Amino acid sequence: MTTKPPNTKVCESFEACEWKIVKSGKCNCAGRKQRTVKCFDRMLNTESNRCSESTRPNKTMPCQKPPRCWNVYRNCKDAQRYKHREDREYMMNLHGIKTSIYCHNMTTKSPVEYLTLPKGPKENYSYYIRLRAADANQCQNSSRDWEDESISYGATHYSKIRINVNTLQVYMNDYEFTKSSGTKQPFGTGGDCYSNTARCPKGEFSINLEDTAFRIRSRTAWETAGVKSVIQFLIPLKEPYQKVRARCGGYCGSCFVSRNTNLYLEPKPAHEMRNP
């Protein structure tokens, strides 16, 4: 019968042994988390008892408290009154719901609030396309289609959107947390100069508020402007009012949130909240 080798082995020297963190717990409301620390012989990859106690890592370490532990504020200036000066997410009570809001410029006298978009830039973008059809009176892709550098084209992807925490209006021209190529494009807009047919728009926008506590106000509308401008909804704005995506264009043409409605958010109904 083969004898089972021991779980530990005495190292030849202290230098061959080192402490390793083998498990790290969750952060508690005191802002600390527990860690399991063990000594290993790094040459033989076995546990040991020869590590120097003077180099043992602490069993606890500081960490950021989970959202459930945070104080609840009304806005970023309210958080400043409690000596907070760090740009990060803060728990706030907005229109009767508790939700996480990102505070920016917290070291200044004018901090601003942003809603982080969990679905990220891939689902929140605005495109104005510079492509033109080889035959503007046709609606078909062609190898002879060409790019018009004179067009103020651009693509902007959003990871956060600035909001007014009192009214929940979205600042569509804020680009602080965006990545762009070409000209920066406002949130919820799109356009192109592709075709004179009003049938094949190439510009596009997408808004996706899933996994936030908000939805788009149901009566929000979009307008078009320009020559033969058109909007085609790929995902129409309907219940639960958290997503909308459309293609827009013309010769040249664009689409944007109607001036009659502007872009406002509203809290999701209580029964739709994942964590009421």
Side-chain angles (χ1 to χ4, degrees), residues 27-33 62-63 65-66 69:
C27 193
N28 60 29
C29 289
R32 307 288 298 182
K33 64 179 179 180
C63 56
K65 298 178 184 180
C69 304

Side-chain angles (χ1 to χ4, degrees), residues 63-74:
C63 56
Q64 184 171 314
K65 298 178 184 180
R68 62 183 173 82
C69 304
W70 297 345
N71 292 327
V72 180
Y73 306 102
R74 292 171 296 158

Side-chain angles (χ1 to χ4, degrees), residues 240-264:
Y241 302 111
Q242 286 201 292
K243 296 170 62 176
V244 60
R245 183 157 66 97
R247 288 190 180 136
C248 311
Y251 200 67
C252 297
S254 63
C255 66
F256 48 89
V257 177
S258 172
R259 300 176 183 88
N260 294 324
T261 65
N262 291 314
L263 183 56
Y264 286 87

Side-chain angles (χ1 to χ4, degrees), residues 91-276:
M91 190 61 67
M92 295 190 185
N93 190 332
L94 304 182
H95 295 250
I97 62 168
K98 292 180 181 179
T99 188
S100 178
I101 295 294
Y102 187 88
C103 289
H104 184 56
N105 289 337
M106 285 292 281
T107 58
T108 72
K109 293 181 180 180
S110 302
V112 288
E113 294 86 6
Y114 287 84
L115 176 66
T116 298
L117 303 169
K119 292 302 180 181
K122 290 185 178 180
E123 293 286 325
N124 293 277
Y125 56 79
S126 299
Y127 298 159
Y128 198 108
I129 305 300
R130 60 182 168 181
L131 195 67
R132 283 187 181 270
D135 184 347
N137 296 314
Q138 297 294 322
C139 189
Q140 59 184 16
N141 295 326
S142 167
S143 60
R144 295 184 296 113
D145 290 349
W146 57 288
E147 293 184 346
D148 187 347
E149 297 293 339
S150 68
I151 296 173
S152 184
Y153 69 92
T156 301
H157 293 82
Y158 292 77
S159 58
K160 304 179 193 295
I161 51 174
R162 185 181 173 186
I163 62 172
N164 182 315
V165 293
N166 296 316
T167 65
L168 296 185
Q169 183 174 3
V170 177
Y171 293 86
M172 294 178 290
N173 293 293
D174 186 282
Y175 306 107
E176 186 67 36
F177 294 97
T178 65
K179 289 186 177 180
S180 295
S181 58
T183 302
K184 293 177 180 178
Q185 302 297 317
F187 195 57
T189 67
D192 69 19
C193 299
Y194 184 73
S195 170
N196 196 32
T197 63
R199 290 188 289 112
C200 46
K202 301 291 186 182
E204 189 172 321
F205 75 83
S206 175
I207 300 174
N208 190 335
L209 303 183
E210 289 180 333
D211 297 330
T212 74
F214 300 98
R215 64 183 189 177
I216 303 165
R217 186 179 286 181
S218 59
R219 62 176 178 270
T220 304
W222 272 260
E223 298 179 8
T224 63
V227 178
K228 294 294 182 70
S229 59
V230 62
I231 181 170
Q232 296 177 354
F233 284 96
L234 305 176
I235 301 177
L237 183 61
K238 61 182 181 180
E239 290 189 6
Y241 302 111
Q242 286 201 292
K243 296 170 62 176
V244 60
R245 183 157 66 97
R247 288 190 180 136
C248 311
Y251 200 67
C252 297
S254 63
C255 66
F256 48 89
V257 177
S258 172
R259 300 176 183 88
N260 294 324
T261 65
N262 291 314
L263 183 56
Y264 286 87
L265 308 183
E266 59 187 16
K268 290 194 302 187
H271 69 273
E272 293 181 11
M273 293 290 187
R274 180 176 298 177
N275 297 304

Side-chain angles (χ1 to χ4, degrees), residues 8-18 39-52:
T8 63
K9 178 183 182 299
V10 176
C11 302
E12 294 298 325
S13 65
F14 283 109
E15 288 76 15
C17 296
E18 63 182 0
C39 178
F40 280 88
D41 180 334
R42 65 173 177 269
M43 296 180 66
L44 300 178
N45 197 29
T46 60
E47 286 187 44
S48 174
N49 58 5
R50 296 281 290 171
C51 291
S52 172

